[in-house]
Amino acid sequence: MPDLDIADCINETCPWSGKPVQADSLTRHAGEVVGFCNTGCRDKFETAVRHFEAARGSRAAPSRFAPQR
């Protein structure tokens, strides 16, 4: 993502490996720039987030106005 800058990164080490983050391995999550040690770790994170969001979106949220049994 060319619009991301390592200076804006909220972490110094990769959440997957613990190695230092690299400028070519950044992504944006929840409005923050998150860094990874390589593009593989970044891509693994992005895939995990997509799966999580899809799972969360597929579950219908219970209505707080549903009748009580």
Side-chain angles (χ1 to χ4, degrees):
M1 299 184 142
D3 61 326
L4 302 179
D5 188 330
I6 198 164
D8 299 324
C9 190
I10 62 170
N11 58 311
E12 294 179 5
T13 59
C14 177
W16 294 114
S17 72
K19 296 177 182 176
V21 299
Q22 301 297 314
D24 68 344
S25 302
L26 305 174
T27 192
R28 187 172 300 280
H29 178 68
E32 302 286 352
V33 177
V34 181
F36 297 87
C37 65
N38 61 58
T39 56
C41 284
R42 180 202 59 207
D43 295 348
K44 183 167 58 169
F45 174 80
E46 290 175 343
T47 299
V49 168
R50 280 194 305 274
H51 285 286
F52 174 76
E53 293 295 329
R56 185 169 57 179
S58 68
R59 291 181 20 161
S63 170
R64 62 186 184 144
F65 300 110
Q68 299 294 318
R69 293 185 182 196

